[in-house]
Amino acid sequence: MMPLNTLSIVKRFQALPQRLLPRLVYQNFNNVVALKNSNVPLTVPIDVSTLELASETDHKLDTTANLLWSYLYLLSKSKVNPLQRIPISPLADNFFTLSHIFNIFLTRETYGEQSRIYGAVIHGDMFSHPFDPTLQKEILRTTAHTTTRARKQFSNAHFEGLVRIHTAFTRYLKNHANQGARQLAQNLDQHPLLERVQKTSSSTDSFDLPTDHINHESGQTWSAHSQFTEDNSLGMPTDQYVVHGYPVDMIKPAWRYLLQMVFHQYAGGRPVFEILADFRLMAEFLINPFQNETAATLNLLTSCLAMTMNEYPILFRDRTIKEQSFNQLAKPSLLTARLFNGSEKVAQLATETLSLPALTQLAYPKTDATEPLFTVTLITRNTLLEQTLSSMMQKYFDSLNSEINQLLKQK
């Protein structure tokens, strides 16, 4: 059992500036938002009600409302006991479904692509019935997942970070009451976490090397039980270290149990942002559950997990730098601080009485000693566009506000 104070969560959500919501779902929202007629001069008087948003902007507002409504609906389906505690397994199962919903809507970019699934996901009772297996096949990863690092850029600290998150997960599985979890731990016990391979062509410097440029025949592998020694004197300068994600047939149970582990650790008193940092590392390096783009899905899911664990959602930078995730693997405290700072920034914006500024500064540590500030866009500088957005949000967020009011009445 874990604590779940739905009333507190909903009140905190209600306090969020409505204009901030699409930015919490889409990191680049304010950088790409536009009017249908982008040539409207700011100096000419115009009736704002006649302006239309560009289709992509309109679509993103609609999707934002649907996704956040889905989270609130999850809360309404989560039944707590008189002590405001809830069983972990059903809550994790609901988040498992929620992650599928997020990924579907964030990877379908038009209304037409979403129409086939809209009714089943939004209007169906998605947390009371099994998720459509046909849709699930379109969502979960069906191919091998690897992340690569140049040999001279991979260290003992990277390997130890990899072993740490893998070992914590398999230890949780081994102690689980469910036989399926214990079997999964056994299946993952000897998983080859790391492989050193030769790059047979210099035609690409990409971190995600095409398979035809890698010679796997001479590869050396390490599991969590192996002794890894950093030795840059051996092998060719172009050698790569390849981190292997879990096998495809283990993604579904691993993803479900990882969500259980998150709530189990929260119930045990571990700090929330340490939990979320390890959750992200596991999701990005070892499980990588989704076949299509995952960053936006994981960002929104991380925010919803944070809210469920009585924190504010997380404001991320306008853009991500993929290669830096290896630094977070070696120093998870950096990721912990980044997530904490993003949540604290949202808390600050939610409690201020002034309207949102166009820009804000977000502390984003890159080393243990430095904490540079990154500029994050909160709104555009186009007055007409902002007025139009405000009008459209009233329409799209009506169902969201209704769900909030329903939850406040129930609790």
Side-chain angles (χ1 to χ4, degrees), residues 85-106:
R85 299 182 72 84
I86 186 172
I88 287 174
S89 181
L91 181 62
D93 286 347
N94 282 346
F95 263 88
F96 178 83
T97 298
L98 188 69
S99 72
H100 286 56
I101 294 166
F102 285 176
N103 190 252
I104 286 175
F105 280 92
L106 289 171

Side-chain angles (χ1 to χ4, degrees), residues 56-76:
E56 181 185 11
T57 300
D58 189 71
H59 174 70
K60 286 186 174 182
L61 284 180
D62 188 22
T63 302
T64 294
N66 286 331
L67 294 180
L68 295 176
W69 179 90
S70 298
Y71 171 66
L72 293 177
Y73 184 70
L74 180 153
L75 292 180
S76 73

Side-chain angles (χ1 to χ4, degrees), residues 96-373:
F96 178 83
T97 298
L98 188 69
S99 72
H100 286 56
I101 294 166
F102 285 176
N103 190 252
I104 286 175
F105 280 92
L106 289 171
T107 55
R108 269 59 170 186
E109 297 180 353
T110 67
Y111 289 112
E113 291 175 310
Q114 287 189 356
S115 61
R116 181 170 58 87
I117 56 173
Y118 188 90
V121 173
I122 296 299
H123 295 302
D125 193 354
M126 52 199 169
F127 298 114
S128 298
H129 304 289
F131 202 89
D132 185 335
T134 303
L135 290 178
Q136 196 170 73
K137 289 179 182 178
E138 297 180 22
I139 301 166
L140 294 178
R141 174 166 58 90
T142 57
T143 57
H145 169 69
T146 60
T147 48
T148 61
R149 191 73 158 164
R151 176 171 57 86
K152 291 185 178 181
Q153 296 174 327
F154 194 89
S155 66
N156 283 325
H158 293 120
F159 181 71
E160 290 167 1
L162 197 61
V163 170
R164 181 185 67 82
I165 58 173
H166 170 79
T167 301
F169 182 54
T170 54
R171 185 187 305 118
Y172 169 75
L173 295 175
K174 289 175 182 177
N175 294 323
H176 202 284
N178 189 290
Q179 173 59 30
R182 299 196 296 273
Q183 182 61 53
L184 180 61
Q186 184 176 336
N187 294 341
L188 291 174
D189 191 56
Q190 295 297 327
H191 176 70
L193 296 174
L194 186 70
E195 180 183 12
R196 186 168 65 193
V197 298
Q198 291 180 355
K199 181 179 172 185
T200 59
S201 170
S202 59
S203 62
T204 177
D205 292 320
S206 170
F207 276 79
D208 295 313
L209 292 172
T211 55
D212 58 348
H213 291 294
I214 291 180
N215 176 12
H216 287 274
E217 294 181 0
S218 60
Q220 179 182 1
T221 62
W222 290 265
S223 73
H225 306 290
S226 304
Q227 182 67 40
F228 176 80
T229 302
E230 182 181 350
D231 190 348
N232 291 328
S233 65
L234 300 176
M236 298 295 291
T238 54
D239 283 0
Q240 302 277 321
Y241 281 110
V242 178
V243 175
H244 289 276
Y246 292 156
V248 168
D249 61 345
M250 300 182 194
I251 293 172
K252 185 175 178 179
W255 186 231
R256 191 184 298 273
Y257 285 122
L258 178 64
L259 290 165
Q260 285 190 23
M261 188 173 81
V262 165
F263 295 129
H264 177 82
Q265 291 179 335
Y266 174 62
R270 189 182 183 199
V272 168
F273 294 101
E274 287 184 12
I275 297 172
L276 293 177
D278 282 354
F279 165 76
R280 288 301 295 264
L281 293 174
M282 279 292 301
E284 292 172 14
F285 280 97
L286 292 179
I287 298 181
N288 198 263
F290 305 112
Q291 182 68 19
N292 295 312
E293 189 276 337
T294 61
T297 302
L298 290 179
N299 283 350
L300 182 55
L301 191 65
T302 304
S303 278
C304 290
L305 287 170
M307 286 191 285
T308 306
M309 295 187 285
N310 225 30
E311 299 288 350
Y312 280 90
I314 299 164
L315 180 67
F316 292 90
R317 292 187 304 165
D318 290 354
R319 295 178 180 85
T320 58
I321 302 177
K322 181 180 178 181
E323 293 82 356
Q324 286 191 340
S325 59
F326 271 88
N327 297 336
Q328 300 168 8
L329 185 64
K331 294 183 178 180
S333 60
L334 296 180
L335 182 53
T336 300
R338 291 171 186 178
L339 295 174
F340 172 79
N341 291 344
S343 181
E344 284 294 289
K345 177 58 67 173
V346 173
Q348 173 191 331
L349 295 170
T351 54
E352 286 184 349
T353 56
L354 301 177
S355 59
L356 284 176
L359 305 171
T360 190
Q361 298 294 309
L362 184 63
Y364 199 82
K366 299 179 71 173
T367 70
D368 290 335
T370 62
E371 192 167 273
L373 296 176

Side-chain angles (χ1 to χ4, degrees), residues 381-399:
R381 296 181 182 275
N382 186 322
T383 304
L384 294 178
L385 178 54
E386 285 301 320
Q387 289 176 314
T388 306
L389 279 168
S390 177
S391 175
M392 294 298 290
M393 283 191 294
Q394 289 180 20
K395 178 182 76 171
Y396 282 129
F397 292 176
D398 182 62
S399 61

